[in-house]
Amino acid sequence: MNVAASHAYGTICALEYRYARLIDDDRLEEWPDLFVERGVYKVVPRENLGREPALPIFFCDSRAMMQDRIRSLREANIYNLHYSRHVVSNIEILSEHDGAFEVAACYTVYQTDLEGQTRLFSVGQYRDVIATGDGDFKFRQKIAVCDTFNIPNLLAIPL
Amino acid sequence: MNVAASHAYGTICALEYRYARLIDDDRLEEWPDLFVERGVYKVVPRENLGREPALPIFFCDSRAMMQDRIRSLREANIYNLHYSRHVVSNIEILSEHDGAFEVAACYTVYQTDLEGQTRLFSVGQYRDVIATGDGDFKFRQKIAVCDTFNIPNLLAIPL
Amino acid sequence: MNVAASHAYGTICALEYRYARLIDDDRLEEWPDLFVERGVYKVVPRENLGREPALPIFFCDSRAMMQDRIRSLREANIYNLHYSRHVVSNIEILSEHDGAFEVAACYTVYQTDLEGQTRLFSVGQYRDVIATGDGDFKFRQKIAVCDTFNIPNLLAIPL
């Protein structure tokens, strides 16, 4: 890894960790800002990956759609019954094309209820494409491929 | 991230991982040495954070107090009924002031009993202030904000 | 951490994450290639570590032996009843001698069954020696020291 690659890697990790922290600190309104305007966010069960098309259980293809989603969440007021904790690890740059990075990572999401009981909520892999326009790193695509798919309230907050 | 920032980030990660390893290898007597002389270590349940004051369930405000704590543990001899494993991830530099870094990270602590059964013990966030006097990085403050708070034997070893 | 050390650290992390991903993507035939020809892979329960000799519950001392192991797995066809997810964290360089690095890391392995239920499978520590001949980083030794040892189907896939 040369100095430029190392610099990019550090910035990519920072973006992934910021993504996790904004969600866990309930700053959901800032979550769409981590994507480019026409960014894609999908949740796909791992067993669907081999199928064509790989049916997502959640899908947004613009920042506006993400903002809508967050507004619905706030109105439904379901989202705050748990604390969440997103652990991101094993961050790897798989390829680089035209200033965009294809990135893989593992995620582990925990939920803690109001009695302080923590349970493992979902484990899986992020498959991301990160654009670097003007040195500003943003998600062009984030796919959460979830190993765990029998999730009662999966769609409450982003994975 | 420039070269100096990248250097600092690497050193901060090394400190966090060393912290975890010393505890997990039962080298508890070396744990206070990772703090400055008047370092603060606190455990605060996440639900208390919004309160004023944010009541900690564990508190040390000097290395001497930490050493006392470890001596008590050794005498009580409770600490060794489990193996522990501290996973630190999502390490982020939030700010830098006068050569000290404000750092956030996720922690996940597992306990394994003498029959080899592992359970999730506590999940939460570290909120640290790391001082860099003489190039020697040490904790000026480590607050473990725990999502999980119904922990039977929480105070046995440091989080 | 200077520039050379930082470069080596980045390459070591990439190797560890690649190790995890090859296994989780069921690319087991490529797993032995991450080791040198006479590489050692062992699984040792943590409680055995203090004993002399530290009896492993799994042992390979060459790439050829690892390839045999994978072939047996494919024939037995047990390996594909679960998805696995290997999370590697807390990667630390403990020492460097003659171009080889002694590395410690935490691992957490999850298994998800065909109904999408995820459970914690094993938690422990990797104790690795990584050789750097010709700039090509490979495992000379990987020991998975497992905290969790009451594992029904431990030997199905590598930890």
Side-chain angles (χ1 to χ4, degrees):
Chain A
M1 198 147 60
N2 62 28
V3 171
S6 164
H7 174 85
Y9 184 74
T11 309
I12 286 166
C13 291
L15 178 67
E16 295 283 356
Y17 298 154
R18 184 171 168 78
Y19 176 97
R21 186 163 47 85
L22 288 182
I23 298 171
D24 294 344
D25 286 354
D26 197 29
R27 294 164 59 183
L28 297 175
E29 281 73 13
E30 298 171 61
W31 170 70
D33 297 337
L34 303 180
F35 290 80
V36 300
E37 186 62 45
R38 301 294 307 170
V40 169
Y41 170 72
K42 279 196 250 188
V43 179
V44 181
R46 186 164 173 175
E47 55 159 11
N48 287 6
L49 262 198
R51 300 178 190 167
E52 195 58 56
L55 285 178
I57 54 177
F58 190 78
F59 180 79
C60 287
D61 67 357
S62 71
R63 222 191 263 161
M65 200 171 163
M66 296 177 204
Q67 286 154 350
D68 269 358
R69 174 74 202 153
I70 299 302
R71 267 192 298 270
S72 310
L73 268 180
R74 292 297 189 200
E75 281 159 20
N77 207 27
I78 311 168
Y79 63 89
N80 61 1
L81 297 174
H82 296 88
Y83 292 125
S84 74
R85 184 68 58 198
H86 287 64
V87 172
V88 186
S89 56
N90 297 43
I91 299 171
E92 293 181 274
I93 296 176
L94 300 183
S95 69
E96 185 188 357
H97 297 294
D98 304 324
F101 292 93
E102 186 195 358
V103 170
C106 294
Y107 75 79
T108 312
V109 177
Y110 299 98
Q111 280 196 344
T112 301
D113 65 22
L114 300 183
E115 267 136 40
Q117 297 261 18
T118 301
R119 71 192 178 97
L120 180 62
F121 179 67
S122 179
V123 166
Q125 189 187 34
Y126 288 141
R127 300 199 179 180
D128 301 337
V129 177
I130 295 175
T132 62
D134 304 327
D136 196 18
F137 284 50
K138 298 208 172 198
F139 294 109
R140 182 177 294 168
Q141 174 188 284
K142 179 175 273 287
I143 303 180
V145 180
C146 41
D147 295 0
T148 319
F149 56 84
N150 58 350
I151 306 179
N153 47 348
L154 174 68
L155 303 181
I157 60 160
L159 283 181
Chain B
M1 198 149 57
N2 62 27
V3 172
S6 164
H7 175 86
Y9 184 73
T11 310
I12 286 167
C13 291
L15 178 67
E16 295 283 355
Y17 298 152
R18 185 172 169 76
Y19 176 96
R21 187 164 46 87
L22 288 182
I23 297 172
D24 293 344
D25 286 353
D26 197 29
R27 293 163 60 183
L28 298 175
E29 282 73 12
E30 298 172 60
W31 170 70
D33 298 337
L34 303 180
F35 290 80
V36 300
E37 185 62 45
R38 302 293 307 169
V40 169
Y41 170 73
K42 277 198 252 189
V43 178
V44 180
R46 186 163 172 177
E47 55 159 10
N48 286 7
L49 263 198
R51 298 179 191 168
E52 198 58 56
L55 284 179
I57 55 176
F58 190 79
F59 180 80
C60 287
D61 66 356
S62 71
R63 223 191 265 159
M65 200 169 161
M66 295 176 206
Q67 287 154 350
D68 269 359
R69 174 72 203 155
I70 299 303
R71 267 192 298 270
S72 310
L73 268 181
R74 291 297 189 199
E75 282 160 19
N77 206 26
I78 310 168
Y79 62 91
N80 61 359
L81 297 173
H82 296 88
Y83 292 125
S84 74
R85 185 66 58 198
H86 287 65
V87 172
V88 186
S89 56
N90 297 43
I91 299 172
E92 294 181 274
I93 296 177
L94 300 183
S95 70
E96 184 188 356
H97 296 295
D98 304 324
F101 292 93
E102 187 195 358
V103 170
C106 294
Y107 75 79
T108 311
V109 178
Y110 299 97
Q111 280 196 344
T112 301
D113 65 23
L114 300 183
E115 268 136 38
Q117 297 261 16
T118 301
R119 71 190 179 98
L120 180 62
F121 180 67
S122 179
V123 165
Q125 189 187 35
Y126 288 141
R127 301 198 179 180
D128 301 337
V129 177
I130 296 176
T132 62
D134 305 327
D136 196 18
F137 284 50
K138 298 206 170 198
F139 295 109
R140 184 179 291 168
Q141 175 189 283
K142 180 176 270 288
I143 304 181
V145 180
C146 40
D147 295 359
T148 319
F149 55 84
N150 59 350
I151 305 178
N153 47 349
L154 174 67
L155 303 181
I157 60 160
L159 283 180
Chain C
M1 198 148 57
N2 61 28
V3 171
S6 164
H7 175 85
Y9 184 72
T11 309
I12 286 167
C13 290
L15 178 66
E16 296 282 358
Y17 298 153
R18 184 171 169 77
Y19 175 97
R21 186 163 47 86
L22 288 182
I23 298 172
D24 294 345
D25 286 352
D26 196 28
R27 294 163 59 183
L28 297 176
E29 282 73 12
E30 298 172 61
W31 170 69
D33 298 338
L34 302 180
F35 289 81
V36 300
E37 186 62 46
R38 301 294 307 168
V40 170
Y41 170 73
K42 279 195 252 188
V43 178
V44 181
R46 185 163 173 175
E47 56 159 10
N48 287 7
L49 261 198
R51 300 178 191 168
E52 196 58 55
L55 285 179
I57 55 177
F58 190 78
F59 180 80
C60 288
D61 66 357
S62 72
R63 223 191 263 161
M65 199 171 162
M66 295 176 205
Q67 286 154 349
D68 270 358
R69 175 74 203 154
I70 299 303
R71 267 192 297 271
S72 310
L73 268 180
R74 292 297 189 199
E75 281 159 21
N77 207 25
I78 310 169
Y79 62 91
N80 62 0
L81 297 174
H82 296 89
Y83 293 125
S84 74
R85 186 65 60 198
H86 287 66
V87 172
V88 186
S89 56
N90 297 43
I91 299 172
E92 294 181 274
I93 296 177
L94 300 182
S95 69
E96 185 188 357
H97 297 295
D98 303 325
F101 291 94
E102 187 195 359
V103 169
C106 294
Y107 75 79
T108 311
V109 178
Y110 299 96
Q111 281 196 344
T112 301
D113 64 24
L114 299 184
E115 267 136 39
Q117 297 261 17
T118 302
R119 70 191 180 96
L120 179 63
F121 180 67
S122 178
V123 165
Q125 190 187 34
Y126 288 141
R127 302 199 178 179
D128 300 337
V129 178
I130 295 175
T132 63
D134 304 327
D136 196 19
F137 285 50
K138 299 208 171 198
F139 294 110
R140 184 177 292 167
Q141 174 189 281
K142 179 176 272 287
I143 304 180
V145 180
C146 41
D147 295 1
T148 319
F149 54 85
N150 58 350
I151 305 178
N153 48 348
L154 174 68
L155 303 182
I157 59 159
L159 282 180

